[in-house]
Amino acid sequence: FPVTICIHYNDRAAIDGALALRRLSRFKIICLCSDVYSLEPYRNLSEVVDVFLAPSLFHQKLIQSAIKKPVFVIPEAVDPISLPSNGEDANVLSTNNVCWFGYPESFNKSLSYIINDAFDISEFNKDRFSIITSKNDILMEDVLHLDFNFNTFYEISRNYSYSILSHFPFDLKINTYIKSPNKMITSIVRGIIPLVSATPNYEEIASKY
């Protein structure tokens, strides 16, 4: 039997499997935290989980305030989409083009209310801006959309010098405000300069680097 089992807070099959094994043998259960849409999942798991691992200090403080089990911070790893594979040579070009990348819901939560006004005020040419997101989703009119794909992101992102990233919580949810800085890290590792909102996890990374 294992000494330790690691589960994700939202993976029901993994949680059930860990609990079934624990009935047969005593071992530690480590729970990976991520989104905090509700504290109930973490509270429910705190009865059986020994240690929680959070992706940022802000996640840690929020989750720790509601449970008695220890919560430690383990920074997220570099996303593989920012690294070359199979000997690719796709250095970022000096194009001054700008992109946004991610799931459609992230854009709607964090940028949809302000981006058109921001472009108008700055007299920014939208021809220089592209959105890399889920296939067939149109998030802005008159803007180039590219399909987000784990296998092609490294190649298509070479045409962009900057990325616009935001955690503005226009959905009025704490989870949006404290989202981890993984997109910022992805941009930096990829060689793209991130332009980010002054929200907790982006500010922390920006103050260091």
Side-chain angles (χ1 to χ4, degrees):
F1 286 98
V3 176
T4 305
I5 281 186
C6 190
I7 61 174
H8 186 269
Y9 90 100
N10 199 32
D11 188 337
R12 192 67 249 175
I15 293 169
D16 291 342
L19 295 180
L21 282 172
R22 198 172 211 180
R23 296 187 191 101
L24 303 175
S25 176
R26 178 67 187 177
F27 52 82
K28 291 188 179 296
I29 297 180
I30 296 174
C31 180
L32 300 176
C33 311
S34 56
D35 296 316
V36 188
Y37 295 115
S38 167
L39 287 169
E40 284 309 306
Y42 297 105
R43 287 178 58 83
N44 293 338
L45 283 170
S46 67
E47 298 298 321
V48 294
V49 166
D50 297 284
V51 175
F52 291 83
L53 302 181
S56 79
L57 180 64
F58 305 98
H59 290 78
Q60 179 199 36
K61 287 182 177 179
L62 184 59
I63 296 169
Q64 187 70 85
S65 68
I67 64 175
K68 295 180 180 179
K69 295 294 178 64
V71 183
F72 299 108
V73 177
I74 299 292
E76 290 186 304
V78 172
D79 195 316
I81 67 171
S82 62
L83 301 170
S85 61
N86 301 321
E88 289 176 296
D89 181 15
N91 293 326
V92 173
L93 303 175
S94 297
T95 62
N96 286 327
N97 291 334
V98 181
C99 70
W100 180 92
F101 62 92
Y103 292 109
E105 55 267 29
S106 296
F107 184 91
N108 293 328
K109 291 175 183 178
S110 296
L111 270 182
S112 58
Y113 289 90
I114 62 170
I115 193 163
N116 279 309
D117 289 339
F119 283 168
D120 289 344
I121 292 170
S122 63
E123 299 182 350
F124 180 83
N125 183 355
K126 288 184 181 179
D127 290 342
R128 290 173 45 207
F129 179 63
S130 301
I131 292 175
I132 306 173
T133 192
S134 302
K135 188 175 183 178
N136 299 325
D137 278 290
I138 303 299
L139 304 182
M140 289 180 66
E141 298 296 331
D142 304 321
V143 167
L144 175 65
H145 285 62
L146 300 169
D147 294 344
F148 179 89
N149 184 291
F150 290 102
N151 297 320
T152 61
F153 178 82
Y154 188 85
E155 172 60 32
I156 64 175
S157 61
R158 74 189 304 261
N159 295 313
Y160 301 94
S161 299
Y162 303 92
S163 61
I164 295 179
L165 307 174
S166 165
H167 287 169
F168 293 123
F170 293 135
D171 59 349
L172 306 182
K173 303 295 185 182
I174 188 67
N175 186 68
T176 302
Y177 187 64
I178 66 168
K179 288 290 283 185
S180 70
N182 60 317
K183 288 184 184 178
M184 185 178 188
I185 300 299
T186 295
S187 294
I188 292 171
V189 173
R190 182 66 188 91
I192 299 171
I193 299 171
L195 311 175
V196 300
S197 55
T199 43
N201 280 309
Y202 282 155
E203 281 193 311
E204 183 185 26
I205 297 298
S207 67
K208 291 180 180 179
Y209 302 108

